[in-house]
Amino acid sequence: MKEVDIELKVNGKTYQVRIKPWRTLVEVLREDLGLMGTKKSCNEGECGACTLMLDGRSAASCLVLAVDAQGRDILTIEGLSEGENLHPIQESFLKHGGLQCGFCTPGMVMSAKALLDENPTPTLEETRKAISGNLCRCTGYQHIIDSIMAACG
Ligand code: FES
Ligand code: FES
């Protein structure tokens, strides 16, 4: 199939790429734009590793075609820190041991950001629900929950 020219707005910056129309957003971010922070694992919406924010809401980028992400605000983990300064949620993960191998961490942090943007003082239950689509094989989740709750201030 013919390639198409598309324009993506990622972390406030506009990128033009030529891609096959069936490629997913996570693939294009990683393979074409070099934004490797968004992870790809199950590739079928089950693990949450590829979570980012689309127009302010969390989304599994392995389920989104890159062509369909045109005209939308895409926020990836790379867009959270400012220079050397980590985002407060990232700081909280570091401080409270919310990561081990780190593979799930970008997706967890983006799910946490989507939660806290919408609900700055979530309950424990709301926090658990917000990351229920993000799998972690290392931490047992408690430290992740602690990190998010602590990031509420
Ligand atoms: S890689 Fe997208 S949900 Fe697993
Ligand atoms: S820290 Fe290893 S998968 Fe979550």
Side-chain angles (χ1 to χ4, degrees), residues 27-64:
E27 287 169 355
V28 173
L29 288 171
R30 291 177 58 83
E31 295 163 19
D32 298 66
L33 306 188
L35 295 169
M36 307 294 275
T38 304
K39 304 302 179 200
K40 182 176 148 194
S41 184
C42 71
N43 211 26
E44 53 187 30
E46 295 292 338
C47 74
C50 65
T51 304
L52 43 64
M53 287 174 71
L54 269 185
D55 293 334
R57 309 197 65 165
S58 68
S61 57
C62 68
L63 297 182
V64 178

Coordinates of all heavy atoms in Angstrom, one line a residue, residues 27-64:
E27 N 4.7 2.6 17.2 CA 5.8 2.3 16.2 C 6.4 3.6 15.6 O 7.6 3.7 15.5 CB 5.2 1.4 15.1 CG 4.9 0.0 15.5 CD 4.1 -0.7 14.4 OE1 3.7 -0.1 13.4 OE2 3.8 -1.9 14.6
V28 N 5.5 4.5 15.2 CA 6.0 5.7 14.6 C 6.8 6.6 15.5 O 7.9 7.1 15.2 CB 4.9 6.5 13.9 CG1 5.4 7.8 13.4 CG2 4.3 5.6 12.8
L29 N 6.3 6.7 16.8 CA 7.1 7.4 17.8 C 8.5 6.8 18.0 O 9.5 7.6 18.0 CB 6.3 7.4 19.1 CG 5.0 8.2 19.2 CD1 4.3 7.9 20.5 CD2 5.3 9.7 19.1
R30 N 8.5 5.5 18.1 CA 9.8 4.9 18.4 C 10.7 4.8 17.2 O 11.9 5.1 17.3 CB 9.5 3.5 19.0 CG 8.9 3.5 20.4 CD 8.6 2.1 20.9 NE 9.8 1.3 20.9 CZ 10.7 1.3 21.9 NH1 10.5 2.0 23.0 NH2 11.8 0.5 21.9
E31 N 10.1 4.3 16.1 CA 11.0 4.0 15.0 C 11.3 5.1 14.0 O 12.3 5.2 13.4 CB 10.3 2.8 14.2 CG 10.3 1.5 15.0 CD 9.3 0.5 14.5 OE1 8.9 0.6 13.3 OE2 8.9 -0.4 15.3
D32 N 10.4 6.1 14.0 CA 10.5 7.2 13.0 C 11.0 8.5 13.7 O 11.7 9.3 13.2 CB 9.2 7.5 12.2 CG 8.8 6.3 11.4 OD1 8.5 5.2 12.0 OD2 8.9 6.4 10.1
L33 N 10.4 8.7 14.9 CA 10.7 9.9 15.6 C 11.8 9.8 16.7 O 12.3 10.7 17.3 CB 9.5 10.5 16.3 CG 8.3 10.7 15.3 CD1 7.1 11.5 16.0 CD2 8.7 11.5 14.1
G34 N 12.2 8.5 16.9 CA 13.3 8.3 17.9 C 12.9 8.5 19.3 O 13.7 8.7 20.2
L35 N 11.6 8.6 19.6 CA 11.1 8.8 21.0 C 10.9 7.4 21.6 O 9.8 6.8 21.5 CB 9.8 9.6 21.0 CG 10.0 11.1 20.4 CD1 8.7 11.8 20.2 CD2 10.9 11.9 21.4
M36 N 11.9 6.9 22.2 CA 11.9 5.5 22.7 C 11.3 5.4 24.1 O 11.3 4.3 24.6 CB 13.3 5.0 22.7 CG 14.0 5.1 21.4 SD 13.3 4.1 20.1 CE 14.1 2.6 20.4
G37 N 10.9 6.5 24.7 CA 10.4 6.4 26.1 C 9.1 5.6 26.2 O 8.8 4.9 27.1
T38 N 8.3 5.7 25.1 CA 7.0 4.9 25.1 C 7.4 3.5 24.7 O 7.9 3.3 23.7 CB 6.0 5.6 24.1 OG1 5.8 6.9 24.4 CG2 4.7 4.9 24.1
K39 N 7.0 2.6 25.6 CA 7.4 1.2 25.4 C 6.4 0.4 24.6 O 5.2 0.7 24.6 CB 7.7 0.5 26.7 CG 8.7 1.2 27.6 CD 10.0 1.3 26.9 CE 11.0 2.0 27.8 NZ 12.1 2.6 27.0
K40 N 6.8 -0.6 23.9 CA 5.9 -1.5 23.2 C 6.2 -2.9 23.6 O 7.3 -3.4 23.6 CB 6.2 -1.4 21.7 CG 5.3 -2.2 20.8 CD 5.6 -2.0 19.3 CE 5.4 -3.2 18.5 NZ 5.9 -3.2 17.2
S41 N 5.1 -3.6 24.1 CA 5.3 -4.9 24.6 C 4.2 -5.8 24.0 O 4.5 -6.5 23.0 CB 5.2 -4.9 26.1 OG 5.4 -6.2 26.6
C42 N 3.0 -5.9 24.5 CA 2.0 -6.8 24.0 C 1.5 -6.5 22.6 O 1.1 -7.3 21.9 CB 0.8 -6.9 25.0 SG -0.2 -5.4 25.0
N43 N 1.5 -5.2 22.4 CA 1.0 -4.7 21.1 C -0.5 -5.0 20.8 O -0.9 -5.0 19.7 CB 1.9 -5.2 19.9 CG 1.9 -4.3 18.8 OD1 1.8 -3.1 18.9 ND2 2.1 -4.8 17.6
E44 N -1.2 -5.3 21.9 CA -2.6 -5.5 21.7 C -3.5 -4.9 22.8 O -4.6 -5.4 23.1 CB -2.9 -7.0 21.5 CG -2.4 -7.9 22.6 CD -2.5 -9.4 22.3 OE1 -2.5 -9.7 21.1 OE2 -2.7 -10.1 23.2
G45 N -3.0 -3.8 23.4 CA -3.8 -3.1 24.4 C -4.0 -3.8 25.8 O -4.9 -3.4 26.5
E46 N -3.1 -4.7 26.1 CA -3.3 -5.5 27.3 C -2.3 -5.1 28.5 O -2.6 -5.3 29.6 CB -3.1 -7.0 27.1 CG -4.1 -7.6 26.1 CD -5.5 -7.7 26.8 OE1 -5.6 -7.7 28.0 OE2 -6.5 -7.7 26.0
C47 N -1.2 -4.5 28.1 CA -0.2 -4.3 29.2 C 0.0 -2.9 29.7 O 0.6 -2.7 30.7 CB 1.2 -4.9 28.7 SG 2.0 -3.8 27.5
G48 N -0.3 -1.9 28.9 CA -0.2 -0.5 29.3 C 1.2 0.1 29.1 O 1.4 1.2 29.4
A49 N 2.1 -0.7 28.6 CA 3.5 -0.2 28.4 C 3.6 1.0 27.5 O 4.4 1.9 27.6 CB 4.4 -1.3 27.9
C50 N 2.6 1.0 26.6 CA 2.7 2.1 25.5 C 1.8 3.3 25.8 O 1.5 4.1 25.0 CB 2.2 1.5 24.2 SG 0.5 0.9 24.3
T51 N 1.4 3.4 27.1 CA 0.5 4.5 27.5 C 1.1 5.8 27.3 O 2.2 6.1 27.7 CB 0.0 4.3 28.9 OG1 -0.5 3.0 29.1 CG2 -1.0 5.3 29.3
L52 N 0.3 6.7 26.7 CA 0.7 8.1 26.6 C -0.6 8.9 26.7 O -1.6 8.3 27.1 CB 1.4 8.4 25.2 CG 0.9 7.8 24.0 CD1 -0.5 8.3 23.6 CD2 1.8 8.0 22.8
M53 N -0.5 10.2 26.5 CA -1.8 11.0 26.6 C -2.1 11.6 25.2 O -1.3 12.1 24.5 CB -1.6 12.1 27.6 CG -1.7 11.5 29.0 SD -1.3 12.7 30.3 CE -2.8 13.7 30.3
L54 N -3.4 11.4 24.9 CA -3.9 12.0 23.6 C -5.0 13.0 24.0 O -6.0 12.6 24.7 CB -4.6 10.9 22.8 CG -3.8 10.1 21.8 CD1 -4.7 9.2 21.0 CD2 -3.0 11.0 20.8
D55 N -4.8 14.2 23.6 CA -5.8 15.3 24.0 C -6.1 15.2 25.5 O -7.3 15.3 25.9 CB -7.0 15.2 23.2 CG -6.8 15.5 21.7 OD1 -5.8 16.2 21.4 OD2 -7.5 14.9 20.9
G56 N -5.1 15.0 26.3 CA -5.3 15.1 27.8 C -5.8 13.8 28.4 O -6.0 13.8 29.6
R57 N -6.0 12.7 27.6 CA -6.5 11.5 28.3 C -5.5 10.4 28.0 O -4.9 10.4 26.9 CB -7.9 11.2 27.7 CG -8.8 12.4 27.8 CD -10.2 11.9 27.7 NE -10.6 11.1 28.8 CZ -11.9 10.8 29.0 NH1 -12.9 11.3 28.3 NH2 -12.2 10.0 30.0
S58 N -5.4 9.4 28.9 CA -4.5 8.3 28.6 C -5.0 7.4 27.5 O -6.2 7.3 27.3 CB -4.3 7.5 29.9 OG -5.4 6.8 30.2
A59 N -4.0 6.9 26.7 CA -4.4 6.0 25.6 C -3.3 5.0 25.4 O -2.1 5.3 25.6 CB -4.6 6.9 24.3
A60 N -3.7 3.9 24.9 CA -2.7 2.8 24.6 C -2.3 3.1 23.1 O -3.1 2.9 22.2 CB -3.3 1.4 24.7
S61 N -1.0 3.5 22.9 CA -0.6 3.9 21.6 C -0.4 2.8 20.6 O -0.2 3.0 19.4 CB 0.6 4.8 21.7 OG 1.7 4.1 22.3
C62 N -0.5 1.5 21.1 CA -0.4 0.4 20.2 C -1.8 0.2 19.5 O -1.9 -0.6 18.6 CB 0.1 -0.9 20.9 SG -1.0 -1.5 22.1
L63 N -2.8 0.8 20.1 CA -4.1 0.6 19.5 C -4.6 1.8 18.7 O -5.7 1.8 18.2 CB -5.2 0.4 20.6 CG -5.0 -0.8 21.5 CD1 -6.1 -0.9 22.5 CD2 -4.9 -2.1 20.7
V64 N -3.7 2.8 18.5 CA -4.0 4.0 17.7 C -3.2 4.0 16.5 O -1.9 3.9 16.5 CB -3.7 5.2 18.6 CG1 -4.0 6.5 17.8 CG2 -4.5 5.2 19.9

